[in-house]
Amino acid sequence: MTRGGTEGPRAAVFGGVVALAGVVRRVRAFAGQFLLLGVLALVAALLVTGVPRTADRLAEQGLREHVAGRPAAERDLTLTAAEAPAGGGGVVAPVTATRGRELDTLQAGLPEAVRRAVQSRWFLAETAFGRLTGPDLAAKNYLVVARLRAAPGVTGAATLTEGRWPAEAVGAGQPVEVALADDTARKLNLRAGSRLRFSGAGAEPVPLLVVGVFEPARTGDGIWNTLPSALRVTEPAGDEEPYEMVALTSDAGLDAAIATGVPVRFSWRYRLGGLDVADLGAVVDGVRRLERTPPAGLSVTQAVDVPLRQFLDAVSAARTLLAVIAAGMFATVAGLIVLAARLAARRREAEFALLVARGGAPTSGARRSLAESALVVPPAAALGWLLGRLLPGSTAGTAGTDWLVLVAAALATLALPLATLGRSALPGGRRDLSGRRAGGRRLTLELLVVALAVLATFLIRRRGLSPGSVDPLLVSVPVLLAVAAAVLVLRLYPWPLRLLGRVAARTRGSVTFLGVAGASRSAATGPVVVVVVAVATAAFCGVVAGGIESGRDRTATTAVPASALVDGERLAPDTGAALQRLPGVRRSTPVLREGALRVADARGVDAGLAAVTVLLVDGPGLAETARDAGVDVSVPPVLRAGRSPGPAPALVSPGLAAELARAGLDGTALVTLQGYAQPFRVADTAEGFPLVPADVDRFVVLPWQALPEPVSAGLDTPSPVSPGPVSPGPGTAGPGATGPVPTAFLVSGDGFDVEALRRAGDEGQRRYQTGGSFVAGERPRGAEVTTWRFARQQLGGGGANGLLVFGFAAGAAGGAAFGLLAIAFAVLAGARTRAQVLSRLRTLGLSRRQWRGLLLVELTPLVAAALFTGALMGALLPLLLTPALGLAAFTGGEPVRVAFSPGLVGAVLAAGAVALALAVTVETVNNRRLRLGEVLRLGEGS
């Protein structure tokens, strides 16, 4: 190649190197501006990549916690063959092992999503209950029934404390060997070596030999979750009822029992645990489809779909809420990038004007800005993308976000060149004056933004939310409304300032007049819009979080309107006094709650209405106990009234009240409580009441202290619902009177022992069962104690709550930080003009203190208008969007009521103080850098 042929490429390379060096030199010269652009691009890419990834990780973590916290019955899918004889005639066949091999076959037939979610599985074969006899049982006069059970895998989940495990083979004429749990053997006087006889229904007796006693290695192992439990004996339900127990044997031992003709059942249990949030919908659909069309000859038992569907609804609502918050934050960051680009372009107006004056093209400044921006912004965006990918989470959370990062990086790169093209033709011009009369294009754009915001709000409220997906329209509504509000405020707020300026002109001193005049001419449109969006996002998070917390408090109070609820079947009336004697308990009040009761007319004839739930409370006692416990319970006057002639006044649900009115029973009706007819009249209506479940819409609440003398419902024979004499209490006429007895007690106090409350409740049930003229033959269930704190914790812990907290924390913190940064931009946008004014005023004798006052007077209206507009929009957005957000998924079904919070005003005032302090600081630092003594020189206005 000739020398002339190589000079061209070399010159091109050299020219490129020189141009690149010039770009690098200019980037270094304006390092602060490009550093700000790069950081904002990094934050934008980090938001796009990191928020979905973090949300996905928190959702998966919440799913694991939600599933782990559910009882075994809500995690297991069980296929069961009907209980029937599987052999007979003394012919022993390997039935158990054969059916056990179906564990793989049945799992393969499960719906694909369900099959992938199976974490553990167990096979079980057991006989029907049969009578168990033997010398050791007869010695204690025990009446016992038992099941013989074969469950492969139990030997690895238990430890022998005595003897050995049953042999894998049973010889002819030999007894079937069994092993018992330590609790069962101890309570029933059995041990290794005990001989028993098992007599199944319609089958020949089977001799048994206890060869081992075991303890579980871990009681939480899923192999022990089958009912009846093999780990403990079931106490008799009544005086003539037997103990129930389970004896474990080998496959061969169960086959020997099956050969006698005893009925047997087989079950295959699959525990779902390997779940992904993305597959939950398919798992729920698969489980329901399997329940509708089970395999031939089998039945399906499951309670998996309900908790999974509840979690899916909560996650869907949380993701929608997070998308709304993320949209506000991303819009704020985008606005900050535009502000940074405009500020950078404005600072270099003289440079770009000089390029054009020296013969450069009108776009030469934009091309120069594009080269500089391309050197900084894309690498910063790539770093943000990489940091987002490094955050904990799965790749599913970032699927489809890479192209969004590319779009964000491209737009951020173009922001500075576009701002350069849109710069003022005359550098250093008075923008505060040129912007006073907006052009037609700006007015049209503002009207379009307002119209879009109104239309989007109307559409989202009319058509609702798209289930199972993030609705783009819903995500855009808060940003559109915030921008529209900012536009309207910018149009309106100069007018009162001009009126104030006329008043200030008549006062002494120049600080107020000049500050108000400067504020009324402020042209910081972009920063105000960004501040409004940022503050609206932060306020929205605070208001919605407060609404959810209040809804959870109301839900907990509905379940437990006191410090604790001691719930049982029937408790002696003196249980309240026993509870109050416990340490930490200050008050107690009785409650009677019964469901599925019929309403009758005054003659006792069934009114033909659907069943109702009846709640009997001591109105004044409930109010005092709730107040002492510090929970918000409103007891209406109708439930505080004392005894008066005629039917007792009742608080009734609206639907039931309408039915009673149509039937002519609103003046007098009867309900039967524990065998006693209680007349009542409709005195007031309410949509709900504490202790009435949210899903119950037909209820009657009666004041216990206002009930008339108890009247027997006409039972012919004694029964457990006819109590004996009780001590005086609410609803009783006095000593020796009879009447309904409590089924629960509410207590208030601090530092009480929950176990002590439970024992007191059990003692109260025992006294009621044995203290009257009739002794019930059925044992009551154990008393249950639920504290208000526990009920509240159940609503606020686990599930999708982590995702919710992340969204609120990120939105509030990010909105506040970005809002302050936008205020700094607002200050810098007018800093040059204010510096010129300050220099002139300083020559006229303005002191430094007066200058600070002037700065505060000028900036306070702008900052206050932006902050209060953003806070107002943040408070109004939940009112507009709550019906579409599905927030009831976080409160146990309680509607979220968004109300005004005084704390919001305090937060805005605090933010305003911080913003003004930041503004003064930024202005001071900027003025020191500008050297105010030189800004009046020709050309320094740039």
Side-chain angles (χ1 to χ4, degrees):
M1 181 176 296
T2 65
R3 180 178 177 181
T6 61
E7 288 181 353
R10 288 179 180 178
V13 171
F14 179 75
V17 172
V18 171
L20 180 60
V23 172
V24 172
R25 186 173 60 255
R26 291 193 298 272
V27 169
R28 290 184 60 186
F30 300 98
Q33 300 173 10
F34 286 106
L35 177 63
L36 182 59
L37 272 175
V39 169
L40 291 174
L42 184 149
V43 171
L46 183 61
L47 283 176
V48 172
T49 308
V51 169
R53 190 177 182 89
T54 303
D56 184 72
R57 176 180 62 83
L58 292 173
E60 295 291 346
Q61 179 181 336
L63 176 60
R64 290 192 298 270
E65 294 174 355
H66 182 76
V67 172
R70 312 306 298 182
E74 295 183 4
R75 290 182 287 163
D76 292 347
L77 178 68
T78 306
L79 307 178
T80 307
E83 194 171 82
V91 179
V92 179
V95 178
T96 305
T98 301
R99 300 304 299 267
R101 285 191 287 271
E102 296 180 24
L103 198 63
D104 293 328
T105 306
L106 293 175
Q107 181 176 348
L110 297 175
E112 182 180 358
V114 180
R115 184 173 65 252
R116 290 199 309 266
V118 173
Q119 187 178 46
S120 305
R121 58 183 190 170
W122 301 275
F123 166 71
L124 181 144
E126 62 183 2
T127 66
F129 275 116
R131 178 70 180 275
L132 199 65
T133 57
D136 293 329
L137 298 177
K140 297 292 186 178
N141 198 26
Y142 287 147
L143 177 62
V144 181
V145 296
R147 289 183 185 269
L148 300 182
R149 177 179 297 173
V154 293
T155 58
T159 302
L160 287 170
T161 59
E162 186 179 353
R164 58 177 176 82
W165 291 107
E168 294 298 331
V170 178
Q174 296 297 316
V176 173
E177 296 179 349
V178 297
L180 304 178
D182 181 72
D183 178 78
T184 302
R186 185 175 62 255
K187 288 185 177 179
L188 297 182
N189 194 39
L190 299 174
R191 64 194 60 83
S194 295
R195 292 188 175 273
L196 303 169
R197 196 172 188 84
F198 176 79
S199 302
E204 300 176 3
V206 180
L208 304 180
L209 175 63
V210 179
V211 297
V213 178
F214 65 88
E215 287 182 346
R218 189 170 60 89
T219 56
D221 196 313
I223 200 170
W224 307 116
N225 292 143
T226 305
L227 295 177
S229 175
L231 300 180
R232 62 189 60 87
V233 65
T234 303
E235 300 283 345
D239 292 340
E240 301 299 327
E241 298 296 322
Y243 288 92
E244 296 179 358
M245 59 165 282
V246 172
L248 297 181
T249 185
S250 62
D251 291 357
L254 191 66
D255 290 337
I258 293 173
T260 65
V262 64
V264 64
R265 69 177 181 184
F266 304 95
S267 64
W268 300 262
R269 185 160 53 96
Y270 302 93
R271 173 154 299 176
L272 306 186
L275 297 168
D276 293 326
V277 176
D279 297 332
L280 278 188
V283 171
V284 172
D285 293 340
V287 167
R288 291 177 176 174
R289 186 168 65 252
L290 182 66
E291 193 173 27
R292 290 192 302 267
T293 57
L298 302 179
S299 62
V300 177
T301 304
Q302 65 89 22
V304 175
D305 56 340
V306 174
L308 291 186
R309 174 53 62 183
Q310 291 174 345
F311 178 82
L312 199 57
D313 293 341
V315 166
S316 177
R319 282 179 167 170
T320 300
L321 195 60
L322 185 60
V324 171
I325 297 170
M329 294 180 63
F330 191 77
T332 304
V333 174
L336 290 174
I337 292 176
V338 172
L339 293 180
R342 289 176 59 184
L343 183 62
R346 184 179 179 183
R347 290 292 175 87
R348 300 174 65 184
E349 282 180 347
E351 174 191 346
F352 298 142
L354 184 60
L355 283 176
V356 176
R358 290 179 174 177
T363 59
S364 58
R367 292 199 303 270
R368 172 175 287 195
S369 298
L370 178 61
E372 297 161 356
S373 183
L375 190 64
V376 175
V377 175
L383 180 59
W385 173 81
L386 181 61
L387 292 176
R389 301 279 294 191
L390 293 177
L391 290 175
S394 65
T395 55
T398 54
T401 61
D402 292 346
W403 68 273
L404 290 176
V405 175
L406 292 176
V407 171
L411 293 178
T413 304
L414 294 174
L416 183 58
L418 293 176
T420 303
L421 286 175
R423 73 187 187 278
S424 173
L426 296 176
R430 289 288 302 276
R431 290 172 177 78
D432 58 337
L433 296 180
S434 63
R436 293 181 64 177
R437 290 185 177 86
R441 286 182 296 179
R442 176 180 170 183
L443 181 61
T444 302
L445 180 62
E446 291 175 353
L447 291 176
L448 179 61
V449 170
V450 174
L452 284 177
V454 173
L455 179 62
T457 304
F458 172 76
L459 289 177
I460 197 63
R461 287 183 62 86
R462 181 169 183 176
R463 71 174 177 81
L465 192 64
S466 302
S469 62
V470 176
D471 196 321
L473 179 61
L474 178 64
V475 169
S476 65
V477 165
V479 176
L480 287 174
L481 286 175
V483 173
V487 167
L488 293 176
V489 167
L490 285 169
R491 283 287 181 178
L492 297 176
Y493 105 102
W495 297 101
L497 288 178
R498 289 168 187 168
L499 295 177
L500 182 61
R502 295 178 183 177
V503 176
R506 299 186 179 95
T507 62
R508 297 183 61 185
S510 59
V511 171
T512 304
F513 170 73
L514 293 174
V516 173
S520 64
R521 294 195 306 267
S522 176
T525 303
V528 170
V529 172
V530 176
V531 171
V532 169
V533 174
V535 175
T537 301
F540 173 80
C541 294
V543 171
V544 173
I548 290 176
E549 291 297 307
S550 299
R552 288 171 172 173
D553 289 345
R554 290 194 302 272
T555 301
T557 300
T558 298
V560 185
S563 300
L565 172 68
V566 183
D567 196 6
E569 292 185 0
R570 294 187 190 178
L571 299 92
D574 62 352
T575 305
L579 290 169
Q580 285 186 245
R581 288 193 293 269
L582 296 175
V585 177
R586 293 189 295 269
R587 291 182 179 274
S588 69
T589 185
V591 174
L592 189 155
R593 179 170 52 183
E594 288 196 4
L597 298 183
R598 307 293 299 183
V599 178
D601 60 17
R603 299 170 298 169
V605 179
D606 193 316
L609 304 179
V612 301
T613 295
V614 177
L615 183 67
L616 201 57
V617 297
D618 177 12
L622 174 60
E624 293 174 3
T625 303
R627 183 170 54 253
D628 185 65
V631 297
D632 184 16
V633 174
S634 177
V635 180
V638 64
L639 297 180
R640 297 173 181 262
R643 182 176 297 169
S644 60
L651 182 72
V652 184
S653 58
L656 178 59
E659 293 182 15
L660 291 172
R662 286 194 295 269
L665 300 177
D666 53 334
T668 302
L670 291 177
V671 290
T672 301
L673 291 172
Q674 298 179 355
Y676 293 95
Q678 301 294 343
F680 71 92
R681 60 181 174 83
V682 178
D684 199 359
T685 61
E687 294 290 344
F689 193 77
L691 296 173
V692 176
D695 58 349
V696 174
D697 57 357
R698 300 173 57 80
F699 61 86
V700 177
V701 184
L702 296 172
W704 211 325
Q705 76 283 353
L707 292 185
E709 296 288 343
V711 180
S712 173
L715 299 174
D716 296 330
T717 59
S719 73
V721 299
S722 299
V726 296
S727 60
T732 62
T738 60
V741 296
T743 61
F745 278 88
L746 292 168
V747 300
S748 64
D750 296 301
F752 48 76
D753 184 6
V754 174
E755 286 301 321
L757 294 181
R758 185 176 291 110
R759 288 193 297 269
D762 289 336
E763 287 296 316
Q765 292 196 122
R766 185 190 59 78
R767 285 196 301 276
Y768 170 75
Q769 291 284 316
T770 61
S773 58
F774 174 77
V775 179
E778 184 175 337
R779 289 174 179 254
R781 62 178 172 86
E784 298 177 358
V785 179
T786 305
T787 63
W788 188 93
R789 290 182 179 179
F790 176 78
R792 180 63 177 79
Q793 184 180 5
Q794 290 294 102
L795 293 168
N801 192 63
L803 185 58
L804 202 64
V805 171
F806 165 73
F808 288 148
F818 293 150
L820 291 177
L821 185 57
I823 289 175
F825 276 117
V827 174
L828 293 174
R832 181 71 63 174
T833 301
R834 281 194 302 272
Q836 293 176 343
V837 172
L838 176 61
S839 295
R840 295 185 178 100
L841 293 176
R842 289 287 293 273
T843 61
L844 298 176
L846 185 74
S847 67
R848 188 177 299 275
R849 181 177 179 181
Q850 288 177 317
W851 166 75
R852 290 196 179 96
L854 175 62
L855 181 63
L856 287 176
V857 172
E858 182 175 345
L859 293 180
T860 297
L862 184 68
V863 172
L867 289 180
F868 279 102
T869 302
L872 181 62
M873 289 308 303
L876 292 178
L877 283 174
L879 296 176
L880 298 173
L881 301 181
T882 292
L885 290 176
L887 300 180
F890 307 116
T891 60
E894 175 74 17
V896 174
R897 304 170 192 168
V898 179
F900 171 77
S901 173
L904 181 61
V905 177
V908 171
L909 293 177
V914 173
L916 288 176
L918 176 66
V920 172
T921 302
V922 171
E923 183 77 4
T924 302
V925 172
N926 187 69
N927 287 344
R928 288 176 180 175
R929 186 182 63 84
L930 289 177
R931 292 175 299 179
L932 295 179
E934 301 179 2
V935 296
L936 295 180
R937 293 190 312 174
L938 183 63
E940 285 294 323
S942 63

